[in-house]
Amino acid sequence: MGRPRTPLLDRARITGTALELIDAQGEFSVPQIARRLGVQTGSVYHHVDGRDGIVELIRERVAEGIDSSCLDLRPWDEALKAWARSYRAAFAAHPRAVPLLMTNPVRAPRVLAQYEGAVVLLLDAGFGTADVMPVIVALENIALGSALDLAAPDAMWELADDTATPHLAQALAASAGSRADRAFEFALEGFLAHARRTLEAAEG
């Protein structure tokens, strides 16, 4: 029997299949990937560096949706604002991947290169070296938290009786349809204001 024109297995197909499983069920296993692709489990391991390797391939795939050119913008706060919005959008497309990626160390070279760009941006702006990672991690927390929020039901608060919590009912009604977006922008502006004060203190 001749070899198939389209290979049954490669890193791209393994990554795509793993991401499909995560989108559907929040997790994946190598045997599940193998079954979906119609191959033996051992065959998958010939193409990737174990389960951790697949996680990093997934990280790279999701991170492809982040526009790293945002980090070339100036001034630095406009660059961070654009990067945060792009970061949020990329992970909002795969919210179930967030817990998995947040609990595994970042090793993917292309993703590390993007962090390098963010570090250089902040250092060039005048931030102290010790302040750089807190700024980046805080921005990540906002973007990833909001990506999860976008995947949440529109009605996160179910009020059986509006009269029992009338002020909450009014506040929910006033924010209907834009809660996640407004909360993200609110948090982002607060974060940037604090980052600006941190920079001013470093320069003072």
Side-chain angles (χ1 to χ4, degrees):
M1 182 180 295
R3 299 179 65 181
R5 293 182 180 179
T6 302
L8 289 176
L9 212 53
D10 57 33
R11 288 161 69 93
R13 295 192 71 194
I14 291 169
T15 306
T17 302
L19 193 52
E20 288 172 3
L21 288 166
I22 292 170
D23 287 343
Q25 62 190 30
E27 189 49 273
F28 77 92
S29 71
V30 177
Q32 284 178 320
I33 292 172
R35 283 195 297 272
R36 283 213 173 188
L37 293 175
V39 299
Q40 296 295 316
T41 299
S43 300
V44 177
Y45 287 112
H46 289 308
H47 295 267
V48 297
D49 185 17
R51 190 179 188 280
D52 287 346
I54 297 174
V55 170
E56 285 310 289
L57 289 172
I58 293 166
R59 193 189 305 278
E60 285 194 332
R61 177 71 63 87
V62 175
E64 285 174 0
I66 304 173
D67 182 6
S68 60
S69 69
C70 294
L71 296 171
D72 296 326
L73 299 174
R74 295 296 181 273
W76 66 269
D77 50 354
E78 289 301 315
L80 280 190
K81 186 182 296 186
W83 192 48
R85 289 171 176 158
S86 181
Y87 202 120
R88 176 194 186 223
F91 279 88
H94 304 284
R96 289 188 166 187
V98 172
L100 176 67
L101 298 179
M102 286 288 287
T103 53
N104 283 267
V106 181
R107 300 186 182 93
R110 283 186 292 181
V111 179
L112 290 172
Q114 192 164 149
Y115 282 103
E116 176 74 4
V119 170
V120 170
L121 168 72
L122 294 174
L123 291 175
D124 286 350
F127 282 88
T129 305
D131 291 326
V132 167
M133 291 313 297
V135 169
I136 291 174
V137 173
L139 181 146
E140 275 193 318
N141 289 345
I142 293 168
L144 294 174
S146 186
L148 289 173
D149 193 22
L150 284 170
D154 290 335
M156 280 299 294
W157 294 264
E158 295 185 357
L159 309 184
D161 180 5
D162 288 1
T163 61
T165 52
H167 296 93
L168 176 58
Q170 291 174 7
L172 290 173
S175 65
S178 61
R179 173 182 59 80
D181 289 337
R182 290 177 63 188
F184 170 70
E185 293 297 332
F186 188 93
L188 182 59
E189 289 301 330
F191 155 78
L192 289 171
H194 184 72
R196 292 183 191 107
R197 290 193 296 272
T198 300
L199 179 57
E200 290 169 3
E203 292 175 335

